[in-house]
Amino acid sequence: GQNIDQPTEMTATEGAIVQINCTYQTSGFNGLFWYQQHAGEAPTFLSYNVLDGLEEKGRFSSFLSRSKGYSYLLLKELQMKDSASYLCAVMDSNYQLIWGAGTKLIIKP
Amino acid sequence: GAVVSQHPSWVICKSGTSVKIECRSLDFQATTMFWYRQFPKQSLMLMATSNEGSKATYEQGVEKDKFLINHASLTLSTLTVTSAHPEDSSFYICSARGPTGWYEQYFGPGTRLTVT
């Protein structure tokens, strides 16, 4: 079966760095996505990785290792507004998005 | 660019009635739209994939006669929840495939449905 695993909840301090991990087992691979979702709102696109390595975009970076079925989202200089759920999703061989359950990130002052 | 809207943003209806939710791509043409359902503290569950001018493709376990999807134009898809029951209460989110990349999905703001 297809499976996406990520931690349920993480807590970090304002100004610090946090890494949210995601491991996956899917039927084929056409890229891995990270989305941010604030409570009661729809997800917003953060990043897309299809090749191994690190993609940096401002305070957010995303890493992919296809051989390990592993990705992480790195958030630097955390701000209170970064408190949200972070969803990892993999596009499988049928170009369907398989979603993880999301990681709720709590930022403390 | 790449804005997707949904209407209504929230709706309360009585059990047994039908509710229609609209999803519009405002500044691009979306040949493919997706409908998701999300229960509290759970991840997104794909209900169906909607292609303009053709019948929607439903995921396993989703009743196509209960969740009617119409993608009549390149900018509008509708989801009608027929004979709604309290267990249909959920957050319904649509997304549209983006204009520049086949892999991009832009999400609408979601519709909170409560069936009493």
Side-chain angles (χ1 to χ4, degrees):
Chain A
Q2 310 207 89
N3 196 47
I4 310 279
D5 285 319
Q6 50 182 132
T8 304
E9 187 174 297
M10 298 182 71
T11 302
T13 305
E14 189 177 15
I17 299 173
V18 71
Q19 177 175 310
I20 303 173
N21 296 324
C22 171
T23 58
Y24 63 89
Q25 289 180 306
T26 57
S27 305
F29 180 82
N30 279 301
L32 185 143
F33 300 77
W34 284 97
Y35 282 83
Q36 180 191 61
Q37 185 178 27
H38 284 99
E41 299 180 11
T44 54
F45 172 81
L46 289 178
S47 68
Y48 170 67
N49 293 67
V50 68
L51 299 176
D52 290 349
L54 186 68
E55 296 274 346
E56 296 186 77
K57 193 184 293 186
R59 293 190 298 115
F60 293 5
S61 302
S62 57
F63 171 83
L64 174 68
S65 168
R66 288 171 296 171
S67 62
K68 295 181 179 178
Y70 167 70
S71 172
Y72 66 73
L73 180 69
L74 191 72
L75 293 77
K76 302 177 184 176
E77 301 170 16
L78 286 170
Q79 302 174 9
M80 298 302 294
K81 67 178 182 180
D82 297 330
S83 292
S85 286
Y86 291 85
L87 308 177
C88 173
V90 173
M91 187 166 280
D92 68 8
S93 56
N94 294 320
Y95 298 96
Q96 295 274 41
L97 276 179
I98 311 300
W99 294 85
T103 298
K104 183 178 180 181
L105 177 63
I106 300 168
I107 309 295
K108 295 185 175 180
Chain B
V3 177
V4 176
S5 71
Q6 264 183 259
H7 178 80
S9 55
W10 61 270
V11 58
I12 301 173
C13 72
K14 292 188 176 181
S15 189
T17 61
S18 295
V19 173
K20 179 185 281 189
I21 302 170
E22 293 186 349
C23 176
R24 294 182 185 271
S25 56
L26 297 185
D27 50 4
F28 67 100
Q29 294 183 330
T31 54
T32 303
M33 290 184 171
F34 305 88
W35 286 96
Y36 293 88
R37 183 166 51 181
Q38 187 176 33
F39 293 105
K41 299 185 179 182
Q42 295 186 24
S43 191
L44 299 172
M45 285 177 43
L46 179 65
M47 299 176 67
T49 301
S50 168
N51 291 298
E52 186 265 338
S54 64
K55 291 183 179 180
T57 302
Y58 289 82
E59 294 301 300
Q60 196 171 4
V62 177
E63 301 173 57
K64 60 182 179 182
D65 293 331
K66 180 172 181 61
F67 299 99
L68 303 179
I69 292 172
N70 186 304
H71 194 157
S73 76
L74 288 171
T75 59
L76 173 65
S77 177
T78 60
L79 167 68
T80 302
V81 182
T82 62
S83 187
H85 291 285
E87 56 264 32
D88 298 324
S89 299
S90 186
F91 193 46
Y92 291 86
I93 308 173
C94 74
S95 70
R97 189 154 276 163
T100 57
W102 62 267
Y103 58 85
E104 295 179 84
Q105 281 191 35
Y106 292 91
F107 286 84
T111 298
R112 176 79 54 194
L113 170 63
T114 301
V115 184
T116 60

